[in-house]
Amino acid sequence: MAIDRDQGVRRTSVKEILEEPLVIPSYQRPYSWEPSVAVQLLDDIRTAFRPHDARDLMAGDGGAYVLGAIILHRDEEEQTTNVVDGQQRLLTLMILLDILDKAAPGSDTAKDVTAQESSMAPVVRVRRRLTSRVRMMDDDPAQLADFIRNNCEMIRVETDDADEAFRVFDSQNYRGKALLPHDLLKAFHLREMYGESESMKVALVETWESAADVDLDRLFSTYLWRIRQWSRGLSAPPFAANHVGAFKGTTVRSAQTPSSRYHLAAQAAVPLLAAWGSPADGIDRGVSRSRFQLEAPVQAGRSFFEMVTFMMAELESLRSDGYSDPGWDLYASTDDDLIEIRSKSSYRFVSEMYLASLLYYTNKFGEAELPEAKRALMRWAYSLRTELLRVQMVSVDNRAKEYGSAFVVLRNADTPADLNQLSTRPVGRVQDPDHMKALTAFLNGLGY
């Protein structure tokens, strides 16, 4: 039997779904969410919970917030309703609601963990982290719990055909490929486009969809994520779903601090200030660099999509500009379209590190002293290739996050001249003078 047209797919509140006698079948994996993912769910709900205009505040209604789909299989023989997809979210919501319900002044929710439970069990770790987050938040626990039960909704998909349930699960989660982190970001920022016309939303989505997944993944995974981490002196593990919070940015509703309010106002004001200035070549590029500062949180919603469009174009321009000097293109691991050149794969990681540092520099200082900055960054990034017989991602990660790296220096830089703090020692492999001999001579020729 197919999914019932009238009742098979419908929106339902969290309260209604949790009151149903649902069963977690034995084939389901155990609870496995990381605490960071659970906290992100709480933070997203809190953002939706806060009224985003005065009318909502007066009405005490934050509106409905959809938490995704839950896929159910109605087993007529066993007379049970089995959860095929959505159990991790449901269990996390149950944990969170229990914590909120018990968060009265003076209560200790941590004591609910039994002695038999391992302190490293995922459910215990998640409960401990959520408990800590709830204690620190300003929101009223009772009101937030009520919002989750009555205003948060899920798309309830039910069928009595087990095969169909799993086909829906596959379609929902995979569609022939793994769900990429930037897909999650697109969904989040579309939800944050309050007040935007449908035509504007359609236009932004069409622009987004016109870009290849490989290009969007490269922008976030290879450049924006790494710059964010390395500039803070942190490792940059592969960009994954639990890292998307770094690019959710600031919303009008979540801007509760002086810093977040400043960034919202600044990003809105930059285009207006630029319009008053005199026309000049490259003014649009300069305005966008000012508006989309890598050290500042992006403004959620429409601004996010505009930032992505600009950064993709900026990256392509820098690939051309960054290797425009005579002889430099010999060491680029990609062509002008950022497609990897197989014969130059040995330069891949250092080439990516160079372009990332150049993107960071121009985002902060524009064209100021750019020729000198290019030489310094090229020499710093590619020197790693001359020092090691084999460069792996871990080698680049260690070099990029260390004290004195280009990313750490740029984060603390006030002027382009501060880039002089980069190492000026001769490059090369002492134990093997012939290793990367041509590259060593080229880099030493850039000056130090």
Side-chain angles (χ1 to χ4, degrees), residues 53 82 94 102 125 138 180 183 186 224 235-236 241 300 309-310 341 385 398 412-413 429 432 437 439-440 448:
D53 61 37
N82 300 322
M94 292 174 66
K102 297 177 179 176
R125 293 170 59 224
D138 296 328
L180 296 169
D183 292 320
K186 180 185 78 170
L224 300 186
S235 290
T309 299
F310 166 71
I341 303 172
R385 178 67 280 213
N398 288 332
N412 296 310
R429 183 174 173 81
D432 184 5
K437 191 172 182 179
L439 176 59
T440 299
Y448 57 88

Side-chain angles (χ1 to χ4, degrees), residues 46 50 76 128 175 192 253 268 275 301 309 331 360 427 434:
R46 289 178 63 200
R50 292 168 182 154
E76 297 293 351
R128 185 182 298 117
R175 298 175 188 166
E192 293 299 324
R253 292 176 295 164
T309 299
Y331 304 104
Y360 193 18
V427 299
D434 291 329

Side-chain angles (χ1 to χ4, degrees), residues 291-345:
R291 183 182 175 197
F292 304 122
Q293 281 289 289
L294 292 173
E295 294 177 0
V298 68
Q299 182 176 348
R302 174 179 172 179
S303 183
F304 168 80
F305 293 99
E306 293 171 340
M307 182 273 291
V308 169
T309 299
F310 166 71
M311 286 295 177
M312 292 186 70
E314 181 78 337
L315 196 57
E316 288 192 13
S317 295
L318 290 177
R319 162 57 187 86
S320 177
D321 297 343
Y323 293 97
S324 60
D325 294 51
W328 287 40
D329 206 50
L330 291 172
Y331 304 104
S333 68
T334 65
D335 61 18
D336 287 338
D337 295 320
L338 293 170
I339 297 175
E340 293 293 330
I341 303 172
R342 192 172 291 182
S343 62
K344 296 183 179 181
S345 60

Side-chain angles (χ1 to χ4, degrees), residues 219-233:
L219 175 66
F220 284 99
S221 301
T222 305
Y223 295 100
L224 300 186
W225 170 243
R226 291 179 184 174
I227 291 172
R228 182 188 186 279
Q229 294 297 101
W230 290 340
S231 64
R232 291 165 167 78

Side-chain angles (χ1 to χ4, degrees), residues 175-189:
R175 298 175 188 166
K177 62 181 180 180
L179 192 64
L180 296 169
H182 62 255
D183 292 320
L184 302 176
L185 285 170
K186 180 185 78 170
F188 172 81
H189 286 283

Side-chain angles (χ1 to χ4, degrees), residues 52-73:
H52 59 273
D53 61 37
R55 288 171 300 177
D56 285 344
L57 185 62
M58 294 296 292
D61 180 15
Y65 185 68
V66 179
L67 297 175
I70 177 173
I71 302 172
L72 307 174
H73 166 228

Side-chain angles (χ1 to χ4, degrees), residues 98-174:
D98 186 54
I99 293 170
L100 292 171
D101 289 341
K102 297 177 179 176
S107 65
D108 185 1
T109 57
K111 65 185 180 183
D112 294 326
V113 177
T114 66
Q116 289 76 25
E117 291 179 297
S118 167
S119 61
M120 295 307 294
V123 67
V124 176
R125 293 170 59 224
V126 163
R127 185 178 183 88
R128 185 182 298 117
R129 181 75 72 84
L130 287 175
T131 297
S132 176
R133 195 55 163 251
V134 167
R135 285 173 175 167
M136 292 187 297
M137 71 182 191
D138 296 328
D139 302 308
D140 181 275
Q143 291 183 7
L144 182 58
D146 183 71
F147 175 81
I148 293 173
R149 288 188 170 96
N150 299 299
N151 292 74
C152 290
E153 298 179 339
M154 303 183 80
I155 306 301
R156 186 185 187 283
V157 181
E158 180 181 336
T159 176
D160 60 2
D161 185 330
D163 289 338
E164 183 179 42
F166 282 100
R167 284 196 300 270
V168 174
F169 171 79
D170 290 338
S171 174
Q172 173 76 14
N173 289 279
Y174 299 105

